[in-house]
Amino acid sequence: AAGVIQSPRHLIKEKRETATLKCYPIPRHDTVYWYQQGPGQDPQFLISFYEKMQSDKGSIPDRFSAQQFSDYHSELNMSSLELGDSALYFCASSARTSGRADDTQYFGPGTRLTVL
Amino acid sequence: AQTVTQSQPEMSVQEAETVTLSCTYDTSESDYYLFWYKQPPSRQMILVIRQEAYKQQNATENRFSVNFQKAAKSFSLKISDSQLGDAAMYFCAYRSAGSNYQLIWGAGTKLIIKP
């Protein structure tokens, strides 16, 4: 079965640089979530999109922005990178249905960002 | 605000034996979902099992089952016939059935399998 695809898998940047992370959801999934997981920590929710509109917003820094495109893929743009941004960034996708919104989130393999 | 607590930072079990991982949560909502995710050393986040709060019956997936106690706000994961491949970090997560769909995570339990 098709899974969530994230690219790149690994990314090394210098402080103050910018980075773009991409996420391709499972086919027919209409919702994308972004999470940040620091070393030895649980994931922290950043932002989500449903049908190309921002749905929920978590602890996403103002330096970060994201969007979901017409083909449902999503990009997380990170500017003025700081050392503390080094983390594993997960994208998850789900298929929201009418009624109970019964959507389980399936995760991609993550993008490991290292800021030097 | 909802919170999820995993009080066991680390657990170990002998291969082929059974182990139970604990999870408690706090919420004022009556309708929600609970999940267990597994994160092996590869750091891929893998769904293990899912429980809907309005269902009385405990979810089961092969060797994995849950003990869902809604009144006690407890959601433990039982792994039977433990295998070496079960070694991983296990996260308990909560999701509202309402308008906010983000997952709220516990701190995780590291499961060690002894051969």
Side-chain angles (χ1 to χ4, degrees), chain B residues 19-42:
Chain B
V19 63
T20 298
L21 308 184
S22 301
C23 173
T24 59
Y25 57 94
D26 188 28
T27 184
S28 59
E29 299 176 326
S30 59
D31 199 8
Y32 48 86
Y33 298 92
L34 295 164
F35 304 86
W36 280 98
Y37 282 88
K38 165 186 175 180
Q39 189 175 40
S42 66

Tab-separated table of all heavy atoms in Angstrom, chain B residues 19-42:
chain	number	residue	atom	x	y	z
B	19	VAL	N	3.815	-8.283	28.074
B	19	VAL	CA	4.141	-7.039	28.775
B	19	VAL	C	2.975	-6.055	28.593
B	19	VAL	O	2.295	-6.077	27.557
B	19	VAL	CB	5.451	-6.425	28.225
B	19	VAL	CG1	5.326	-6.021	26.765
B	19	VAL	CG2	5.908	-5.245	29.072
B	20	THR	N	2.760	-5.233	29.601
B	20	THR	CA	1.702	-4.222	29.539
B	20	THR	C	2.294	-2.837	29.758
B	20	THR	O	3.000	-2.600	30.747
B	20	THR	CB	0.617	-4.493	30.596
B	20	THR	OG1	0.009	-5.766	30.323
B	20	THR	CG2	-0.460	-3.431	30.543
B	21	LEU	N	1.996	-1.939	28.835
B	21	LEU	CA	2.451	-0.548	28.926
B	21	LEU	C	1.280	0.328	29.359
B	21	LEU	O	0.174	0.191	28.847
B	21	LEU	CB	2.980	-0.067	27.563
B	21	LEU	CG	4.029	-0.947	26.887
B	21	LEU	CD1	4.523	-0.289	25.605
B	21	LEU	CD2	5.186	-1.250	27.813
B	22	SER	N	1.524	1.216	30.289
B	22	SER	CA	0.459	2.024	30.875
B	22	SER	C	0.330	3.389	30.213
B	22	SER	O	1.332	3.974	29.752
B	22	SER	CB	0.714	2.228	32.366
B	22	SER	OG	0.777	0.990	33.035
B	23	CYS	N	-0.896	3.881	30.199
B	23	CYS	CA	-1.178	5.224	29.679
B	23	CYS	C	-2.421	5.744	30.377
B	23	CYS	O	-3.435	5.037	30.464
B	23	CYS	CB	-1.399	5.186	28.170
B	23	CYS	SG	-1.958	6.760	27.451
B	24	THR	N	-2.333	6.933	30.919
B	24	THR	CA	-3.520	7.596	31.440
B	24	THR	C	-3.655	8.948	30.751
B	24	THR	O	-2.685	9.495	30.225
B	24	THR	CB	-3.443	7.802	32.963
B	24	THR	OG1	-2.283	8.587	33.265
B	24	THR	CG2	-3.377	6.469	33.692
B	25	TYR	N	-4.854	9.466	30.754
B	25	TYR	CA	-5.090	10.729	30.062
B	25	TYR	C	-6.105	11.542	30.857
B	25	TYR	O	-6.820	11.014	31.716
B	25	TYR	CB	-5.571	10.479	28.628
B	25	TYR	CG	-6.820	9.645	28.552
B	25	TYR	CD1	-8.078	10.241	28.479
B	25	TYR	CD2	-6.750	8.255	28.580
B	25	TYR	CE1	-9.224	9.479	28.427
B	25	TYR	CE2	-7.899	7.481	28.533
B	25	TYR	CZ	-9.124	8.092	28.463
B	25	TYR	OH	-10.269	7.326	28.426
B	26	ASP	N	-6.126	12.811	30.568
B	26	ASP	CA	-7.060	13.692	31.236
B	26	ASP	C	-7.819	14.487	30.172
B	26	ASP	O	-7.188	15.101	29.300
B	26	ASP	CB	-6.325	14.646	32.187
B	26	ASP	CG	-7.286	15.433	33.044
B	26	ASP	OD1	-8.398	14.927	33.306
B	26	ASP	OD2	-6.937	16.548	33.465
B	27	THR	N	-9.125	14.458	30.247
B	27	THR	CA	-9.945	15.193	29.305
B	27	THR	C	-11.318	15.427	29.906
B	27	THR	O	-11.765	14.643	30.746
B	27	THR	CB	-10.078	14.421	27.978
B	27	THR	OG1	-10.819	15.204	27.044
B	27	THR	CG2	-10.775	13.085	28.162
B	28	SER	N	-11.966	16.472	29.462
B	28	SER	CA	-13.346	16.723	29.864
B	28	SER	C	-14.306	16.323	28.753
B	28	SER	O	-15.524	16.420	28.910
B	28	SER	CB	-13.533	18.204	30.207
B	28	SER	OG	-13.207	19.005	29.084
B	29	GLU	N	-13.757	15.857	27.631
B	29	GLU	CA	-14.579	15.450	26.496
B	29	GLU	C	-15.085	14.026	26.693
B	29	GLU	O	-14.477	13.219	27.392
B	29	GLU	CB	-13.759	15.543	25.203
B	29	GLU	CG	-13.268	16.955	24.897
B	29	GLU	CD	-12.380	17.000	23.667
B	29	GLU	OE1	-11.635	16.030	23.431
B	29	GLU	OE2	-12.422	18.022	22.948
B	30	SER	N	-16.206	13.730	26.069
B	30	SER	CA	-16.763	12.390	26.156
B	30	SER	C	-16.499	11.578	24.894
B	30	SER	O	-16.594	10.356	24.905
B	30	SER	CB	-18.272	12.475	26.401
B	30	SER	OG	-18.889	13.188	25.337
B	31	ASP	N	-16.134	12.267	23.825
B	31	ASP	CA	-15.936	11.599	22.547
B	31	ASP	C	-14.519	11.889	22.051
B	31	ASP	O	-14.160	13.053	21.844
B	31	ASP	CB	-16.977	12.084	21.532
B	31	ASP	CG	-17.123	11.122	20.380
B	31	ASP	OD1	-16.547	10.012	20.442
B	31	ASP	OD2	-17.804	11.462	19.402
B	32	TYR	N	-13.757	10.827	21.858
B	32	TYR	CA	-12.361	11.017	21.458
B	32	TYR	C	-11.802	9.692	20.957
B	32	TYR	O	-12.492	8.656	20.990
B	32	TYR	CB	-11.516	11.540	22.636
B	32	TYR	CG	-11.714	10.788	23.933
B	32	TYR	CD1	-10.981	9.637	24.221
B	32	TYR	CD2	-12.655	11.231	24.866
B	32	TYR	CE1	-11.181	8.942	25.401
B	32	TYR	CE2	-12.861	10.531	26.056
B	32	TYR	CZ	-12.113	9.402	26.313
B	32	TYR	OH	-12.316	8.713	27.488
B	33	TYR	N	-10.569	9.742	20.478
B	33	TYR	CA	-9.870	8.545	20.026
B	33	TYR	C	-8.561	8.418	20.797
B	33	TYR	O	-7.947	9.418	21.177
B	33	TYR	CB	-9.536	8.639	18.533
B	33	TYR	CG	-10.748	8.729	17.639
B	33	TYR	CD1	-11.273	9.973	17.272
B	33	TYR	CD2	-11.359	7.585	17.138
B	33	TYR	CE1	-12.372	10.062	16.447
B	33	TYR	CE2	-12.465	7.675	16.304
B	33	TYR	CZ	-12.966	8.914	15.967
B	33	TYR	OH	-14.058	8.994	15.148
B	34	LEU	N	-8.135	7.189	20.964
B	34	LEU	CA	-6.849	6.910	21.591
B	34	LEU	C	-6.042	5.993	20.683
B	34	LEU	O	-6.606	5.118	20.017
B	34	LEU	CB	-7.060	6.246	22.961
B	34	LEU	CG	-7.752	7.121	24.006
B	34	LEU	CD1	-8.263	6.261	25.153
B	34	LEU	CD2	-6.807	8.195	24.513
B	35	PHE	N	-4.743	6.218	20.687
B	35	PHE	CA	-3.868	5.472	19.790
B	35	PHE	C	-2.609	5.022	20.534
B	35	PHE	O	-2.161	5.677	21.473
B	35	PHE	CB	-3.411	6.353	18.610
B	35	PHE	CG	-4.521	6.954	17.811
B	35	PHE	CD1	-5.106	8.148	18.192
B	35	PHE	CD2	-4.973	6.340	16.652
B	35	PHE	CE1	-6.135	8.722	17.450
B	35	PHE	CE2	-6.001	6.900	15.897
B	35	PHE	CZ	-6.573	8.090	16.302
B	36	TRP	N	-2.049	3.933	20.065
B	36	TRP	CA	-0.691	3.560	20.399
B	36	TRP	C	0.103	3.545	19.093
B	36	TRP	O	-0.301	2.908	18.115
B	36	TRP	CB	-0.618	2.180	21.054
B	36	TRP	CG	-0.961	2.195	22.508
B	36	TRP	CD1	-2.160	1.892	23.081
B	36	TRP	CD2	-0.075	2.518	23.595
B	36	TRP	NE1	-2.082	2.013	24.446
B	36	TRP	CE2	-0.821	2.395	24.795
B	36	TRP	CE3	1.269	2.887	23.675
B	36	TRP	CZ2	-0.261	2.631	26.052
B	36	TRP	CZ3	1.828	3.128	24.915
B	36	TRP	CH2	1.058	3.000	26.095
B	37	TYR	N	1.230	4.283	19.122
B	37	TYR	CA	2.163	4.294	18.007
B	37	TYR	C	3.480	3.698	18.495
B	37	TYR	O	3.875	3.865	19.654
B	37	TYR	CB	2.419	5.703	17.494
B	37	TYR	CG	1.325	6.285	16.623
B	37	TYR	CD1	0.258	6.984	17.192
B	37	TYR	CD2	1.347	6.148	15.237
B	37	TYR	CE1	-0.746	7.533	16.393
B	37	TYR	CE2	0.359	6.695	14.436
B	37	TYR	CZ	-0.687	7.384	15.020
B	37	TYR	OH	-1.684	7.922	14.230
B	38	LYS	N	4.162	3.057	17.569
B	38	LYS	CA	5.461	2.443	17.843
B	38	LYS	C	6.520	3.179	17.036
B	38	LYS	O	6.316	3.468	15.840
B	38	LYS	CB	5.386	0.977	17.415
B	38	LYS	CG	6.690	0.242	17.291
B	38	LYS	CD	6.434	-1.153	16.718
B	38	LYS	CE	7.710	-1.907	16.463
B	38	LYS	NZ	7.451	-3.257	15.903
B	39	GLN	N	7.656	3.490	17.685
B	39	GLN	CA	8.749	4.144	16.975
B	39	GLN	C	10.025	3.339	17.193
B	39	GLN	O	10.698	3.476	18.212
B	39	GLN	CB	8.924	5.593	17.452
B	39	GLN	CG	9.911	6.385	16.601
B	39	GLN	CD	9.993	7.849	16.980
B	39	GLN	OE1	9.974	8.213	18.154
B	39	GLN	NE2	10.101	8.722	15.977
B	40	PRO	N	10.378	2.478	16.255
B	40	PRO	CA	11.610	1.680	16.368
B	40	PRO	C	12.835	2.562	16.162
B	40	PRO	O	12.695	3.754	15.899
B	40	PRO	CB	11.453	0.645	15.249
B	40	PRO	CG	10.525	1.281	14.272
B	40	PRO	CD	9.618	2.185	15.051
B	41	PRO	N	14.034	1.989	16.266
B	41	PRO	CA	15.255	2.787	16.091
B	41	PRO	C	15.320	3.543	14.765
B	41	PRO	O	15.972	4.565	14.674
B	41	PRO	CB	16.368	1.733	16.204
B	41	PRO	CG	15.787	0.694	17.106
B	41	PRO	CD	14.327	0.627	16.745
B	42	SER	N	14.643	3.052	13.741
B	42	SER	CA	14.599	3.774	12.469
B	42	SER	C	13.872	5.116	12.599
B	42	SER	O	13.960	5.965	11.710
B	42	SER	CB	13.889	2.922	11.418
B	42	SER	OG	12.519	2.759	11.761
